[in-house]
Amino acid sequence: MKKLVSMVMSLLLLAGVLVGCSLENGTTTGDKKEGTKKDGDMKIGLSISTLNNPFFVTLKEGAEKAAKEENVQLIVVDAQNDSAKQINDIEDLIQQGVDLILVNPTDSSAITSAVESANNANIPVITVDRSADGGKVVTHIASDNVTGGKMAGEFLIEKLKDGGNVVELEGIPGSSAARERGEGFHQVIDKASNIKVVAKQAADFDRAKGLSVMENILQSHSDIKAVFAHNDEMALGALEALEARGMKDVIVVGFDATEDAVKAVKDGKMAATVAQKPELIGESAVKTALKVLKGEKVEKFIPVPLELVKGN
């Protein structure tokens, strides 16, 4: 009996030692709470509307630069201007276990279901350049598109002192950028009694579509003095259509200040472009994401400055 008691006591003592070692090892692996991550372990998803646009390529590069500086893993997916693909891409990012999703929506309304999926998975969402119409978003990082549209309208009023007909090339229907840039433009241009927007049509932020849409418009509206395009790609497409008809005096204003557009302004082919800072938007998106993941408070809207780039 004494031997049995002695064996039991020995086993209990050994168990206590093992538990103690286990607890000690658990407290020395790190001082942070279970579930927290170091910067190097954080994984951020970035869903871009399209990488077939220099503006969004630059935005992506800005985000990648910031991610490298902050030692954060960034997974970039290209929706190719397809809302259904973007929703699937975001579902894939959720399955990959990203800590936060940055999304530049193709369509502000269609993206709602994807944002809600991330919400249900307790993954924070930040919208970039274009907003989402639904779902819970921590913050929105973008230029003030309404203000940019106003800048374009004010510039055209200044240039068209004798008035004239204007064409407006709109972005992707349903995108916040198209709505807001058009809204700002019309807040200004509609007040000018001697200026008339004789045609406005979507060209989906695409250069080739900007060319074809402008060609079609010119068949019924050849007497135009100016074109405002919701982005530079459409403006450059419109410029090509105008040059093919020998209409070099038409004032063309774009939006984004891409490299090609700024060169066109310097060469006197385009009159102006509203300059966003896509690299800064991308950098800000990643740095804001880190603040959110660390539990810091951020503003609901983080604006990025605009400026008008115009020729001499």
Side-chain angles (χ1 to χ4, degrees):
M1 177 64 74
K2 287 183 179 179
K3 286 184 178 180
L4 180 61
V5 171
S6 177
M7 287 176 64
V8 170
M9 293 297 291
S10 296
L11 288 170
L12 289 171
L13 180 61
L14 178 60
V17 170
L18 289 172
V19 170
C21 289
S22 176
L23 289 172
E24 183 180 3
N25 287 338
T27 57
T28 56
T29 54
D31 295 327
K32 58 189 188 303
K33 294 179 181 178
E34 185 181 354
T36 61
K37 294 184 178 183
K38 297 178 182 178
D39 287 0
D41 298 327
M42 290 182 182
K43 189 159 57 174
I44 297 172
L46 171 59
S47 173
I48 296 273
S49 60
T50 177
L51 289 175
N52 192 33
N53 183 323
F55 177 83
F56 294 118
V57 172
T58 304
L59 189 153
K60 174 186 77 79
E61 290 170 349
E64 289 172 336
K65 177 184 174 184
K68 185 176 181 181
E69 289 174 353
E70 300 291 343
N71 191 28
V72 175
Q73 183 181 356
L74 183 70
I75 303 172
V76 180
V77 287
D78 177 10
Q80 299 172 13
N81 271 336
D82 184 333
S83 295
K85 183 179 187 306
Q86 186 162 48
I87 291 169
N88 289 333
D89 286 345
I90 291 175
E91 292 291 349
D92 287 343
L93 290 173
I94 293 170
Q95 292 303 315
Q96 290 181 56
V98 296
D99 298 296
L100 184 145
I101 293 174
L102 302 170
V103 58
N104 159 239
T106 294
D107 184 301
S108 298
S109 178
I111 201 64
T112 296
S113 63
V115 175
E116 290 174 342
S117 292
N119 295 158
N120 293 334
N122 294 317
I123 298 173
V125 177
I126 293 174
T127 48
V128 181
D129 186 62
R130 301 174 186 166
S131 62
D133 288 347
K136 183 181 178 182
V137 173
V138 180
T139 185
H140 178 54
I141 302 170
S143 302
D144 188 333
N145 283 307
V146 174
T147 297
K150 287 180 180 178
M151 290 169 71
E154 288 164 354
F155 176 77
L156 285 183
I157 288 173
E158 179 187 334
K159 288 292 183 181
L160 296 174
K161 289 184 170 56
D162 296 328
N165 294 330
V166 175
V167 168
E168 179 183 4
L169 296 184
E170 301 172 301
I172 296 173
S175 69
S176 60
R179 288 200 309 263
E180 292 164 5
R181 291 172 191 182
E183 178 188 339
F185 179 66
H186 282 280
Q187 282 181 12
V188 172
I189 210 75
D190 291 351
K191 294 178 182 177
S193 58
N194 62 343
I195 296 176
K196 182 180 180 182
V197 178
V198 293
K200 62 177 182 175
Q201 191 172 331
D204 299 343
F205 293 126
D206 183 81
R207 190 182 299 201
K209 288 184 180 179
L211 167 60
S212 60
V213 168
M214 193 69 212
E215 286 175 337
N216 291 335
I217 289 173
L218 288 174
Q219 290 178 11
S220 53
H221 298 284
S222 58
D223 182 23
I224 64 167
K225 298 295 183 184
V227 175
F228 169 53
H230 289 186
N231 83 335
D232 286 334
E233 287 297 283
M234 294 187 297
L236 290 165
L239 184 65
E240 191 175 338
L242 291 165
E243 288 179 340
R245 281 184 166 241
M247 301 172 68
K248 296 183 178 181
D249 293 331
V250 175
I251 298 167
V252 178
V253 178
F255 203 118
D256 286 341
T258 62
E259 186 177 342
D260 286 351
V262 171
K263 184 179 185 302
V265 171
K266 288 181 179 178
D267 292 344
K269 294 181 178 180
M270 274 177 60
T273 177
V274 179
Q276 294 195 84
K277 297 182 171 71
E279 184 175 8
L280 183 58
I281 293 174
E283 289 177 10
S284 179
V286 169
K287 290 179 180 179
T288 302
L290 282 177
K291 288 181 180 179
V292 171
L293 291 173
K294 291 175 181 177
E296 298 178 29
K297 289 186 177 181
V298 298
E299 297 294 327
K300 294 296 291 181
F301 174 56
I302 299 174
V304 178
L306 290 168
E307 61 179 302
L308 188 70
V309 176
K310 55 185 179 179
N312 297 327

